[in-house]
């Protein structure tokens, strides 16, 4: 019997190689110097925190480990224009290259088309990537609790706050949620997908949502397939 492949472990290993290459091309010191004078970030948290309504964070993703290539004729501009016309509250842009077909350059391209704030969705492991996200034009970043210690989370949050970047801290189970609730996290993401097996269980949201204080903005990720699911989330009290 074959052992289960830990998809997340493979993604993280490749991401660490990418970070090394990025630092060789642009050192952290030089990266920080480039942040001076950048345009203000767009208010991500404000955009997705509308009272008594569900906000939509539309995603731009060419591929995924669970589905392979999602869109053969991937046209970034066309997708961004469609989202702009639909009036989405925010856009999530995948920048992970190896498993999701993303590219860091996509952020500025999308931002030139759409007025909504942009979330950089990637596997952030080092402070360098937080500075890099601001340089690339992101308005918010995703921090995955499973990948980061409490101290690392706190460090990245401090840097993001200083850079006026919003952030979603993503959890998958009660243990991760307890860790996150010891920090002052304004936006908590509940991901129904197990990042190691890629299995989706919508009950994850049902279990974790009631444990999150009401003053937090809650974003639900993965497994939302139809209007009935959205209605359920609205009744539950999720923000997006």
């Amino acid at each position: 019997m074959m052992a289960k492949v830990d998809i997340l472990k493979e993604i993280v290993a490749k991401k660490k190689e990418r970070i090394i290459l990025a630092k060789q091309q642009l050192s952290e010191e030089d990266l920080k110097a480039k942040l001076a004078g950048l345009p203000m970030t767009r208010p991500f948290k404000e955009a997705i925190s509308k009272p008594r309504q569900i906000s939509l964070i539309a995603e731009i993703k060419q591929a995924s480990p669970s589905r392979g290539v999602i869109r053969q004729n991937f046209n970034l501009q066309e997708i961004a224009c469609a989202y702009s016309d639909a009036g989405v509250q925010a856009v999530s842009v995948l920048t992970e290259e190896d498993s999701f077909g993303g590219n860091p350059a996509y952020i500025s391209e999308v931002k030139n088309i759409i007025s909504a704030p942009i979330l950089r969705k990637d596997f952030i492991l080092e402070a360098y990537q937080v500075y890099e996200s601001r340089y690339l034009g992101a308005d918010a970043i995703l921090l995955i609790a499973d990948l980061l210690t409490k101290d690392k989370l706190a460090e990245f949050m401090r840097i993001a706050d200083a850079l006026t970047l919003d952030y979603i801290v993503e959890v998958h189970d009660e243990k991760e949620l307890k860790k996150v609730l010891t920090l002052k996290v304004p936006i908590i993401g509940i991901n129904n997908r197990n990042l190691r097996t890629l299995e989706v269980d919508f009950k994850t949201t049902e279990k974790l949502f009631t444990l999150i204080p009401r003053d937090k903005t809650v974003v639900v990720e993965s497994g939302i397939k139809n209007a009935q699911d959205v209605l359920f989330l609205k009744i539950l009290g999720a923000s997006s």
Side-chain angles (χ1 to χ4, degrees):
M1 184 175 171
M2 290 180 66
K4 280 189 177 180
V5 177
D6 189 333
I7 305 294
L8 186 61
K9 191 175 179 180
E10 292 183 356
I11 292 172
V12 167
K14 288 179 181 176
K15 177 54 62 176
K16 287 178 178 177
E17 293 173 6
R18 292 272 185 183
I19 297 168
I20 292 169
L21 289 173
K23 287 180 175 179
Q24 288 172 351
Q25 293 174 344
L26 182 65
S27 71
E28 188 166 320
E29 187 179 344
D30 290 341
L31 176 60
K32 289 179 182 177
K34 288 180 176 288
L35 301 182
L38 286 178
M40 289 178 63
T41 51
R42 298 170 184 173
F44 178 83
K45 182 178 183 292
E46 183 182 310
I48 65 165
S49 303
K50 306 294 183 185
R52 294 178 297 281
Q53 74 175 60
I54 292 284
S55 296
L56 178 64
I57 304 173
E59 193 159 76
I60 294 181
K61 178 168 66 177
Q62 185 174 8
S64 74
S66 60
R67 292 177 58 188
V69 176
I70 296 168
R71 190 160 181 154
Q72 293 288 349
N73 301 314
F74 181 77
N75 187 316
L76 187 69
Q77 291 77 19
E78 190 179 281
I79 298 167
C81 286
Y83 286 162
S84 181
D85 291 344
V88 300
Q89 283 71 44
V91 178
S92 166
V93 178
L94 263 293
T95 58
E96 197 281 334
E97 300 97 330
D98 297 296
S99 298
F100 292 86
N103 191 309
Y106 288 170
I107 291 174
S108 61
E109 291 182 49
V110 173
K111 203 161 188 180
N112 286 333
I113 295 169
I114 198 163
S115 60
I118 309 295
L119 168 75
R120 181 190 186 186
K121 197 169 184 185
D122 209 317
F123 296 81
I124 292 180
L125 308 172
E126 295 192 21
Y128 180 91
Q129 294 166 280
V130 183
Y131 293 110
E132 180 187 52
S133 299
R134 181 70 175 94
Y135 173 61
L136 292 169
D139 303 298
I141 55 174
L142 179 74
L143 300 174
I144 301 173
D146 186 26
L147 297 180
L148 304 168
T149 64
K150 180 182 170 181
D151 288 344
K152 277 291 179 190
L153 274 173
E155 177 194 351
F156 295 174
M157 286 164 56
R158 281 195 301 271
I159 295 169
D161 286 336
L163 298 174
T164 65
L165 280 172
D166 283 322
Y167 40 87
I168 298 175
V169 180
E170 178 181 289
V171 299
H172 305 82
D173 57 37
E174 196 170 336
K175 183 182 177 183
E176 291 172 19
L177 179 59
K178 283 180 179 177
K179 176 171 72 174
V180 168
L181 289 178
T182 62
L183 302 167
K184 291 183 179 179
V185 177
I187 311 174
I188 295 176
I190 301 174
N191 196 342
N192 294 308
R193 186 183 300 280
N194 183 316
L195 294 182
R196 298 179 187 279
T197 65
L198 302 182
E199 293 170 356
V200 174
D201 184 357
F202 206 70
K203 287 187 171 62
T204 302
T205 292
E206 294 182 48
K207 284 186 283 188
L208 298 184
F209 188 86
T210 55
L211 304 175
I212 299 175
R214 289 298 180 97
D215 63 332
K216 307 291 185 186
T217 296
V218 179
V219 174
V220 179
E221 310 164 49
S222 304
I224 303 163
K225 297 175 181 176
N226 51 47
Q228 191 174 347
D229 290 339
V230 174
L231 181 61
F232 169 75
L233 294 176
K234 186 175 182 181
I235 293 168
L236 204 61
S239 300
S240 53

